[in-house]
Amino acid sequence: MKLKVLKIPSDSNAYLGLEREALDYHAQFNDDHIINQLYYQYYDLHTNNDIDDGRQLEWGVQNSLIFCKEVLRTYKKYLPQSEYQIVELANIGDRFENQNLNFLGFDIACLYRISLLSWGLNFEETANHKIFPLLQLLQRYFQPKLNDNLLFQKQVDAQFCLDYMMALQRYEKSIWDDCHFEVIQLAEVLE
């Protein structure tokens, strides 16, 4: 099971994928405060720099739902102005392990953190002028397929978008981050 605790944006029409604010250190509390202790523990419990099926996992990916729920409860108690959610991640072909879920959509991400959808597939004319017409085509075709969470609702659309973006990368090497992107399923874990 792969889980992340991610901040819920204040904008109700905002992106709810993997490239969102996660847990952070809070300077208003001292190092020994439970909030900052959980922050340190959260980033020490994951498999950072370990290898899982040949890939390095992103910093902050958890495997304990009990721990994530403890983090969520504590953050709600001490930081009620900040809203967080537990998100389960599943690679294509894998099933979600939790039963009580709210499906968010399919993201295109690297290391469970860097997303190609976080900016809503909006391109400005100044962006990479050599292939700008191809970027406009990408935007006009794929942007309407994004759901209210700015994620793809269908796996086939997410995979086709990723394939198209990687084809563009062959012609313009610096267009996306040099990273292994993949389609990731996301679902909010409901309490």
Side-chain angles (χ1 to χ4, degrees):
M1 177 176 355
K2 295 177 185 130
L3 303 162
K4 288 189 86 169
V5 177
L6 297 170
K7 192 167 188 177
I8 301 170
S10 56
D11 180 1
S12 61
N13 293 325
Y15 164 79
L16 290 181
L18 288 169
E19 195 170 322
R20 290 191 264 160
E21 187 178 337
L23 298 184
D24 201 0
Y25 181 86
H26 290 274
Q28 72 264 36
F29 302 116
N30 63 36
D31 270 356
D32 295 332
H33 192 279
I34 186 69
I35 288 291
N36 288 328
Q37 287 302 305
L38 282 173
Y39 163 76
Y40 291 130
Q41 192 177 2
Y42 181 84
Y43 290 108
D44 285 339
L45 281 178
H46 68 91
T47 55
N48 188 28
N49 295 324
D50 286 349
I51 301 298
D52 176 39
D53 298 329
R55 295 175 304 191
Q56 178 181 350
L57 292 179
E58 194 274 320
W59 196 45
V61 174
Q62 302 295 316
N63 61 12
S64 170
L65 182 57
I66 293 168
F67 176 68
C68 288
K69 285 184 175 184
E70 177 188 346
V71 168
L72 208 58
R73 278 192 301 275
T74 306
Y75 267 64
K76 282 180 181 177
K77 178 179 178 182
Y78 290 100
L79 299 163
Q81 72 281 9
S82 298
E83 291 189 62
Y84 291 86
Q85 65 184 172
I86 300 170
V87 177
E88 184 172 347
L89 324 171
N91 294 84
I92 299 307
D94 294 342
R95 293 181 177 264
F96 290 115
E97 293 186 31
N98 292 291
Q99 300 301 316
N100 196 14
L101 298 171
N102 174 37
F103 181 72
L104 297 172
F106 294 92
D107 202 347
I108 300 173
C110 173
L111 299 174
Y112 305 107
R113 181 179 55 90
I114 302 165
S115 173
L116 294 176
L117 302 180
S118 62
W119 35 274
L121 298 178
N122 290 308
F123 297 98
E124 295 183 18
E125 195 164 346
T126 58
N128 208 322
H129 67 280
K130 289 190 292 186
I131 62 167
F132 184 66
L134 297 172
L135 295 174
Q136 283 183 305
L137 180 63
L138 182 142
Q139 180 177 334
R140 289 181 183 157
Y141 182 80
F142 290 107
Q143 199 175 51
K145 296 180 181 298
L146 299 177
N147 64 20
D148 291 341
N149 302 321
L150 295 180
L151 302 169
F152 286 103
Q153 193 64 30
K154 297 179 182 177
Q155 176 188 341
V156 66
D157 293 332
Q159 188 61 55
F160 185 36
C161 183
L162 174 59
D163 293 344
Y164 184 90
M165 292 173 117
M166 292 303 103
L168 287 179
Q169 178 89 356
R170 284 188 218 111
Y171 295 104
E172 188 61 43
K173 301 287 185 215
S174 63
I175 193 166
W176 321 119
D177 289 323
D178 186 21
C179 199
H180 174 73
F181 287 95
E182 58 189 323
V183 176
I184 307 289
Q185 304 173 74
L186 305 178
E188 176 186 13
V189 177
L190 303 173
E191 301 200 30

